[in-house]
Amino acid sequence: MNISENKVIDESIQGQALVLDTVKTGGKKLFLESYGCQMNFSDSEIVASILIDKGYTTTQNFEEADVIFVNTCAIREGAESKVRNRLNDFKRVKAKNPKALVGVLGCMAERLKHQFLEQEKLVDIVVGPDAYRDLPNLLDQAEEGHRAINVILSKEETYADLTPVRLGSNGVTAFISITRGCDNMCSFCVVPFTRGRERSRDPESIINEAKDLFARGYREVTLLGQNVDSYLYSGGGLKKETLTEEQKANSVTFAQLLEKVALIHPDLRVRFSTSHPKDMNDEVLHTMAKHENICNNIHLPVQSGNSRVLEMMNRGYTREWYMSRINAIRNILPDCGISTDIITGFCSETEEEHLETLSLMEFVQYDFAYMFMYSERPKTLAERKYEDNVPEPVKKRRLQEVVDLQRKLSGIRTEKGLGKVHRVLAEGFSKKSDDMLMGRNSQNSVVVFPKENYKKGDYVNVMVTECTSSTLIGKVIGKEETGQ
Ligand code: SAH
Ligand code: SF4
Ligand code: F3S
């Protein structure tokens, strides 16, 4: 899901029906809709790969589906209500075709477990993020009239040996999961409960997936993890927390993995998300500086600009530490785009503390941000320890201030791009016109330009002459055949 504008993501998280780009006929029809983060969309490609292996095809129309799967997100209350509303739409299908099966996958399935089957009578199957290999078996059970559930979390599962089928793909950019789960326990966050312990995927399987994508014409991969900087692969089923110093020294770090992927081909761009301020080290920044095809863009969620709030959030860094990481980026990668996530109105956040978030935003001059109001999640540390005591109108007003400031900062950023030449990888038609193509520069800003004879997958140099707060607009002044 490439989102190009600064977003307030709340109830607006959109489900996206994902289908294969090649049409296959015959077989049972699967309707698969995904919500939430890129990781979930990536998981849907694993789910599709498992079911297509079993003879299923995909459809964009849930009314004609034999199996309806919704891959869910639990990050905020709004994300969950959206899914509950959506389940009502699926009732129509059951009324017409009682044999149709409805399954809830992903983080909300993991959070609610059996409760889901009790609350939502029409749901036949509930599957957590680590149990997708069990889907064929669960579908068999459901077809026999039993309600089927598997929400077991794993310490090992990375789906490393499965080749995801690319759904709704532009054929140019793709996502590759490198870690699953999260060990951080930020106090506001439900992810450690829904996705379990952090584990790193075998680097060889990551490289092979990237090589295969490149051979099939893809020109950009984004390495995905909740905290990519803590990637560490030791092989032999060894767990990070029990490694000796010697084993650690023989393990593959994130910086090393990044380099391996960058070396596949100079025409394969590499991006990654998400970086964690407490773990992002200079080695990663130097690796980025060394390889032209590693894009100059870092998503470094800050959440709050105040050290007391950060401490309560259990983020593991202070305002000063975060600022020093920003200074390191600016020193080593002067041209780097920086984006972030911000939460407003976390438990007991004062007006002064909120102002510190605004001043930190000014300090960093973010290119882009995802901005949210705090939403209390059951079972999290914050829910158990702190009172959700910032009134909703205050949370909302603070969010609006953050959004307004970010709009200004994004505008400054895009204006700086005016009159300059940007190297852009064309991804497809622009949203507004088939005469225009869109792509991104290294910093991840969207660039729109007349199509002429260019096509997706081309690297082009665009002279930017106009801009909005989120988009650069210009004209190609040359195409490059090779090299980044
Ligand atoms: N692993 C990433 C974040 C994953 S969740 C990281 O550590 O940065 C994506 C974003 O959702 C978070 O960065 C946070 O800004 C937001 N978020 C998570 N839990 C939230 C909650 N309870 N209320 C509001 N926003 C939340
Ligand atoms: Fe959630 Fe924190 Fe893990 Fe990100 S690092 S997924 S915010 S617990
Ligand atoms: Fe949502 Fe789960 Fe991602 S809770 S944000 S889909 S990891």
Side-chain angles (χ1 to χ4, degrees), residues 35-37 39-40 72-75 107 190-191 194-195 226:
Y35 292 81
C37 65
M39 199 68 110
N40 238 25
T72 59
C73 173
I75 201 85
C107 291
V190 80
V191 172
T194 63
R195 296 207 155 239
Q226 294 298 349

Side-chain angles (χ1 to χ4, degrees), residues 219-222 258 262 268-272 284-285 287-289 291-299 333 335-337 423 425 440-445 459 484:
R219 291 293 173 263
E220 183 181 296
V221 292
T222 303
L258 196 56
L268 182 67
R269 270 184 169 183
V270 190
R271 297 186 188 276
F272 53 88
V284 170
L285 301 178
T287 307
M288 291 173 75
H291 297 278
E292 280 249 50
N293 57 334
I294 304 179
C295 289
N296 268 342
N297 182 55
I298 298 181
H299 187 61
L333 301 162
D335 202 21
C336 192
R423 185 140 200 278
L425 171 62
R440 279 157 209 277
N441 63 9
S442 178
Q443 291 74 13
N444 213 25
S445 295
Y459 282 106
Q484 254 286 107

Side-chain angles (χ1 to χ4, degrees), residues 75 181-192 226-227 274 276 278 303 313-315:
I75 201 85
C182 183
D183 282 352
N184 281 326
M185 297 305 268
C186 300
S187 64
F188 52 80
C189 185
V190 80
V191 172
Q226 294 298 349
N227 173 357
T274 302
H276 197 299
K278 79 177 163 61
Q303 315 299 359
M313 287 178 163
N314 201 23
R315 286 289 288 178

